[in-house]
């Protein structure tokens, strides 16, 4: 049995029960049963399952641990959190999340005008809104409108020009100013793949000189009372905690200095996002716990505040990945197995074979525990020779095929012998003989971070978990792009099962895909977002909620600004037969994913 690393990345959200993986919640449905129910209604492509209760659990964990630690340290200020919309803006995700977190006053973070408008429309009443990123006059004006609507909103400025614009808009509109935050450009930089957000050469934030200048500008314009927050964000997926501590010290001192200079309303430090998610199925990468994280934040800020004789700041966090990643699972059906596994029936030996083939055949017959390595090396050499002889025209295609099959059989036989089972060289060769699993999905649409930045996602079959997978697996998607592949990696090997797809289905689940993947996904080859559904529970009973069908081909044409009526007209007017027109209409009103091969028998 292989647990596919679930004990490392699973966080008890899922359990393996005999042969299947189940949701570890309420009635504990098996994922494969959920998938079958949805497929029975004609939705055969890839599928995204969203679990709102997991998002809720993450939010409650974040608040719970921070609030407990606040009590433990007798920390004299409060904890606030917002969800950064850029991590997942989809209504099926955001709306249940807000509903499930209103008791905690969970807010939203916006990084663009579009996101800010969403936050203004849907934010939990009285919960905070924070605004980051580059802003123009319109975005700043929206901030004033939000404040006017009664939102508790903070505009964090990334540069002095933004503050100038705030002052201009304030003078023009003559309505109260939103709270102002200063994003500090940290001297210390972050860790992890996305560390570019911190450091002296960072894209965002004010230098210490600019902070002093900003404070002077606020004073000159009677806006010191609006300065409420110091903000930093050292980057996503922090693996270690040391960079956070440095950033806390730096920003904590800036906070204390500004108060001492007269920033009397300044009362908050926003520590940005960056809490890591454990994606690895092989060994833990994250080097800290949430408890340690909270303790470090509170301890450091308490220390700085007391040494400087200022009030401890309220703490805001904007962690997104931590909140949303575990809540979505991508399910992709296997369409085909392309095997490069040979057996003896693949041999096409002739009455009379070239001597080198006879030699290979003898190696195969006579290989044993003592001579295995030697024979295996000989066979590889012979194979090289046969390939050269083929290029020169001395052996034919049948001979070449026999050489390939025999060499393969020799490697397989060698590895089956008792002294050689764990031989590194043999294992490496064996790993190269991979099974290709063709999955009905697009990596570009559904795992864009794998394609873009080699982000690892845990993957596991939904069934057969009582048997050990033995095939070294290479995953292919259905795009016509050679990057649409998750190659076998012997350092992080994925072994899957040998399946007869004419007899049964085989689904792979990709876990922790709820952060960033949905909106970064692209329609390469015009594959749309998979169908998706929220799995909720009412009185302990599972319910499929907010089912959203994958976009049809004609809807994609519309999105690309084709005139879809014109397309239909062209297709139908050139088709004579009515029943062929019907087929065309059926297909164009469905999505692009392949229809799984029918199960026989
Ligand atoms: C992206 C971003 C976040 C969220 O980061 P995660 O790594 O997803 O927690 C928070 N704050 C700001 C300013 C960001 O740009």
């Amino acid at each position: 049995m292989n647990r596919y690393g679930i004990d490392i990345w699973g966080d008890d959200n899922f359990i393996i029960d005999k042969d299947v993986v189940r949701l570890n919640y309420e009635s504990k449905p098996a994922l494969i049963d959920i998938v079958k129910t949805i497929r029975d209604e004609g939705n055969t492509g890839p599928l995204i399952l969203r679990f709102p209760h997991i998002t809720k659990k993450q939010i409650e964990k974040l608040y719970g641990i921070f609030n407990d630690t606040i009590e433990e340290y007798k920390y004299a200020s409060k904890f606030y959190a917002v969800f950064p919309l850029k991590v997942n803006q989809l209504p099926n995700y955001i709306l249940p999340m807000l509903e499930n977190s209103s008791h905690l006053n969970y807010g939203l973070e916006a990084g663009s005008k579009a996101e800010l408008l969403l936050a203004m429309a849907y934010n939990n009443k009285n919960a905070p809104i924070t605004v980051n990123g580059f802003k123009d006059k319109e975005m700043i004006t929206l901030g004033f409108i939000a404040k006017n609507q009664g939102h508790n909103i903070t505009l964090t400025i990334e540069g002095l020009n933004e503050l100038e614009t705030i002052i201009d808009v304030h003078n023009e509109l003559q309505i109260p100013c939103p709270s102002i935050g200063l994003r500090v450009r940290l001297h210390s930089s972050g860790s992890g793949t996305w560390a570019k957000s911190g450091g002296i050469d960072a894209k965002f934030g004010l230098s210490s000189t600019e902070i002093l200048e900003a404070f002077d500008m606020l004073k000159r314009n009677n806006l010191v009372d609006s300065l409420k927050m110091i903000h930093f964000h050292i980057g996503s997926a922090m693996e270690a905690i040391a960079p956070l501590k440095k950033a806390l010290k730096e920003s904590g001192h800036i906070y204390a200095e500004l108060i001492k200079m007269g920033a009397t309303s300044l009362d908050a430090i926003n520590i940005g996002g960056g809490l890591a998610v454990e994606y690895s199925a092989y060994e833990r990468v994250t080097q800290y716990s949430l408890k340690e994280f909270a303790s470090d934040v509170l301890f450091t800020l308490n220390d700085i505040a007391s040494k400087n004789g200022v009030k401890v700041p309220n703490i805001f966090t904007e962690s997104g990945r931590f909140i949303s990643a575990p809540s979505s699972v991508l399910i992709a059906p296997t369409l085909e197995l392309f095997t490069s596994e040979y057996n003896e029936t693949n041999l096409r030996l002739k009455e009379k074979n070239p001597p080198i083939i006879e030699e290979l055949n003898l190696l195969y017959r006579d290989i044993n525990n003592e001579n295995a390595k030697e024979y295996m090396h000989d066979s590889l050499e012979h194979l090289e020779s046969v390939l050269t002889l083929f290029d020169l025209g001395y052996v034919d295609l049948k001979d070449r095929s026999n050489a390939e099959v025999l060499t393969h059989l020799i490697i397989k036989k060698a590895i089956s012998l008792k002294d050689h089972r764990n031989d590194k060289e043999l294992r490496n060769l064996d790993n190269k003989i991979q099974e290709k699993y063709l999955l009905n999905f697009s990596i570009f649409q559904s795992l864009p971070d794998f394609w873009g930045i080699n982000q690892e996602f845990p993957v596991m079959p939904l069934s057969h978990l009582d048997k050990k997978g033995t095939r070294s697996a290479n995953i292919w998607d259905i795009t016509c792009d050679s990057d649409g592949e998750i190659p076998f990696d012997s350092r992080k090997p994925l072994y899957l099962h040998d399946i007869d797809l004419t007899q049964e289905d085989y689904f792979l689940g990709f876990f922790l895909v709820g952060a960033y993947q949905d909106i970064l996904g692209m329609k390469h080859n015009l594959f749309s977002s998979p169908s998706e559904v929220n799995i909720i529970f009412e009185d302990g009973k599972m319910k499929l909620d907010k089912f959203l069908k994958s976009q049809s081909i004609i809807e994609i044409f519309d999105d690309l600004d084709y005139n879809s009526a014109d397309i239909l007209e062209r297709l139908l007017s050139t088709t004579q037969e009515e029943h062929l027109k019907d087929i065309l209409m059926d297909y164009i009103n469905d999505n692009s994913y392949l229809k799984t091969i029918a199960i026989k028998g």
Side-chain angles (χ1 to χ4, degrees):
M1 188 167 136
N2 176 351
R3 297 180 57 80
Y4 292 94
I6 193 172
D7 306 298
I8 301 173
W9 56 261
D11 199 26
D12 286 336
N13 290 323
F14 302 95
I15 44 169
I16 295 175
D17 174 30
K18 297 186 196 90
D19 57 332
V20 295
V21 51
R22 294 181 181 276
L23 185 66
N24 189 18
Y25 188 67
E26 297 276 9
S27 57
K28 296 193 167 52
L31 298 193
I32 193 159
D33 292 337
I34 303 177
V35 170
K36 281 183 176 157
T37 308
I38 295 165
R39 289 168 69 84
D40 283 350
E41 279 162 21
N43 309 290
T44 53
L47 189 63
I48 291 175
L49 304 181
R50 297 190 199 281
F51 300 99
H53 72 273
I54 296 181
T55 297
K56 186 168 184 232
K57 167 184 149 182
Q58 293 300 94
I59 297 171
E60 288 177 347
K61 195 193 285 183
L62 183 68
Y63 277 86
I65 288 187
F66 263 95
N67 285 332
D68 287 353
T69 316
I70 279 180
E71 223 166 276
E72 204 177 297
Y73 283 30
K74 309 217 175 339
Y75 189 88
S77 289
K78 288 182 68 176
F79 175 75
Y80 297 88
V82 293
F83 181 78
L85 279 164
K86 79 165 186 286
V87 183
N88 195 329
Q89 303 95 336
L90 299 184
N92 275 3
Y93 181 77
I94 289 294
L95 301 179
M97 178 196 81
L98 289 170
E99 206 179 303
N100 285 331
S101 64
S102 61
H103 61 299
L104 291 168
N105 237 8
Y106 192 45
L108 292 170
E109 184 264 2
S112 66
K113 282 181 261 190
E115 289 180 357
L116 178 52
L117 286 162
L118 273 183
M120 289 161 69
Y122 290 111
N123 201 43
N124 281 323
K125 209 165 176 301
N126 303 323
I129 296 177
T130 62
V131 186
N132 300 307
F134 296 112
K135 300 165 208 64
D136 63 0
K137 191 170 179 183
E138 289 183 7
M139 187 152 165
I140 286 167
T141 304
L142 287 176
F144 276 78
I145 295 173
K147 166 86 179 171
N148 186 258
Q149 292 170 338
H151 286 293
N152 166 11
I153 179 170
T154 306
L155 299 179
T156 298
I157 61 164
E158 308 277 358
L160 291 175
N161 57 331
E162 290 183 2
L163 184 53
E164 275 165 27
T165 312
I166 289 179
I167 293 164
D168 288 349
V169 174
H170 185 49
N171 289 334
E172 282 167 28
L173 293 181
Q174 298 288 331
I175 52 174
C177 187
S179 299
I180 294 172
L182 303 180
R183 178 159 182 174
V184 297
R185 181 178 304 170
L186 296 168
H187 171 63
S188 51
S189 61
S191 75
T193 321
W194 293 271
K196 278 184 293 214
S197 305
I200 197 148
D201 53 349
K203 184 171 158 195
F204 302 105
L206 287 79
S207 67
S208 40
T209 315
E210 287 166 331
I211 289 172
L212 292 173
E213 179 58 27
F215 189 60
D216 285 342
M217 280 167 73
L218 288 167
K219 275 198 292 199
R220 283 200 301 274
N221 291 278
N222 286 327
L223 283 172
V224 170
D225 282 352
S226 298
L227 175 59
K228 302 284 273 182
M229 182 184 282
I230 295 295
H231 175 253
F232 68 84
H233 171 64
I234 58 180
S236 207
M238 294 185 289
E239 288 172 5
I241 207 152
L244 174 80
K245 285 200 213 172
K246 279 197 193 150
L248 283 165
K249 282 186 192 145
E250 219 178 316
S251 56
H253 282 112
I254 291 168
Y255 163 85
E257 296 274 327
L258 282 169
I259 293 184
K260 288 196 276 185
M261 285 165 59
T264 45
S265 295
L266 181 60
D267 68 0
I269 291 189
N270 182 338
I271 64 174
L275 266 176
V277 163
E278 189 55 73
Y279 289 102
S280 176
Y282 301 90
E283 58 178 346
R284 209 166 279 286
V285 175
T286 316
Q287 298 157 28
Y288 57 90
S289 65
L290 180 55
K291 175 69 191 169
E292 185 184 350
F293 179 90
S295 296
D296 280 341
V297 171
L298 294 169
F299 178 83
T300 311
L301 297 179
N302 226 354
D303 191 47
I304 293 171
S306 75
K307 281 185 181 142
N308 284 277
V310 300
K311 184 177 172 343
V312 291
N314 291 317
I315 292 157
F316 283 69
T317 71
E318 299 176 333
S319 270
R321 183 185 300 278
F322 173 84
I323 299 294
S324 66
S327 68
S328 300
V329 180
L330 166 73
I331 314 279
T334 308
L335 287 169
E336 283 263 17
L337 261 70
F338 296 100
T339 187
S340 40
E341 191 92 43
Y342 297 125
N343 56 44
E344 282 187 25
T345 61
N346 297 112
L347 282 174
R348 292 183 167 82
L349 292 173
K350 309 171 183 164
E351 292 272 306
K352 191 159 168 32
N353 298 288
I356 194 162
I357 300 296
E358 292 296 348
E359 178 75 14
L360 269 170
N361 201 13
L362 277 177
L363 291 173
Y364 175 52
R365 306 292 149 194
D366 296 345
I367 189 168
N368 61 35
N369 205 27
E370 278 66 53
N371 64 24
K373 284 278 266 196
E374 185 194 334
Y375 278 29
M376 190 270 298
H377 287 141
D378 288 352
S379 73
L380 288 176
E381 236 176 85
H382 287 353
L383 176 61
E384 276 305 312
S385 307
V386 171
L387 293 175
T388 309
L389 290 172
F390 179 76
D391 290 348
L392 296 171
Y394 291 117
V395 298
D396 64 18
L397 193 56
K398 264 191 190 162
D399 299 326
R400 177 176 158 164
S401 157
N402 287 331
E404 285 170 358
V405 174
L406 282 166
T407 309
H408 187 122
L409 291 173
I410 288 166
I411 294 168
K412 282 282 165 198
K413 203 161 166 188
I415 212 166
S416 72
L417 296 165
K418 81 171 183 343
D419 287 355
H420 301 279
R421 236 158 261 162
N422 295 312
D423 184 276
K424 250 209 173 123
E425 189 191 6
L426 280 170
R427 279 256 158 245
N428 281 342
L429 279 172
D430 189 45
N431 283 339
K432 285 196 185 134
I433 307 166
Q434 294 142 9
E435 199 88 16
K436 316 273 190 300
Y437 288 74
L438 177 68
L439 300 191
N440 201 3
F441 82 135
S442 155
I443 288 173
F444 301 87
Q445 176 60 255
S446 295
L447 300 175
D449 274 345
F450 174 80
W451 169 68
I453 53 174
N454 233 339
Q455 169 69 53
E456 177 188 348
F457 292 95
V459 53
M460 171 160 88
L462 302 189
S463 60
H464 293 77
L465 292 166
D466 53 343
K467 296 180 227 70
K468 206 171 155 87
T470 52
R471 300 293 173 105
S472 30
N474 197 323
I475 290 171
W476 282 354
D477 76 4
I478 52 170
T479 65
C480 308
D481 192 312
S482 53
D483 279 342
E485 178 188 6
I486 305 179
F488 183 79
D489 177 349
S490 57
R491 287 161 308 148
K492 298 174 175 180
L494 175 67
Y495 295 103
L496 296 175
H497 300 90
D498 189 15
I499 301 290
D500 180 356
L501 289 167
T502 60
Q503 299 300 320
E504 57 180 333
D505 285 327
Y506 191 62
F507 301 100
L508 291 190
F510 294 84
F511 292 77
L512 305 176
V513 300
Y516 297 100
Q517 305 315 296
D518 288 295
I519 218 76
L520 286 178
M522 61 200 105
K523 297 190 180 112
H524 198 18
N525 268 150
L526 302 188
F527 290 111
S528 45
S529 307
S531 297
E532 61 169 70
V533 68
N534 285 8
I535 310 296
I536 61 168
F537 293 84
E538 281 175 2
D539 305 321
K541 269 196 70 176
M542 185 182 88
K543 202 178 131 190
L544 303 182
D545 194 35
K546 301 188 196 304
F547 180 79
L548 198 64
K549 212 175 166 60
S550 180
Q551 245 187 349
S552 68
I553 294 172
I554 195 80
E555 285 168 327
I556 292 187
F557 292 160
D558 259 340
D559 270 5
L560 295 179
D561 287 333
Y562 276 101
N563 177 344
S564 50
D566 181 49
I567 291 182
L568 284 179
E569 158 68 23
R570 283 165 183 267
L571 292 174
L572 295 179
S573 65
T574 46
T575 311
Q576 304 308 324
E577 315 269 342
E578 280 309 312
H579 71 282
L580 296 183
K581 286 186 187 182
D582 290 346
I583 292 176
L584 273 178
M585 287 305 284
D586 270 0
Y587 291 177
I588 205 166
N589 282 309
D590 203 341
N591 61 59
S592 268
Y593 289 103
L594 303 186
K595 298 290 178 280
T596 311
I597 293 148
I599 298 179
K600 297 180 199 124

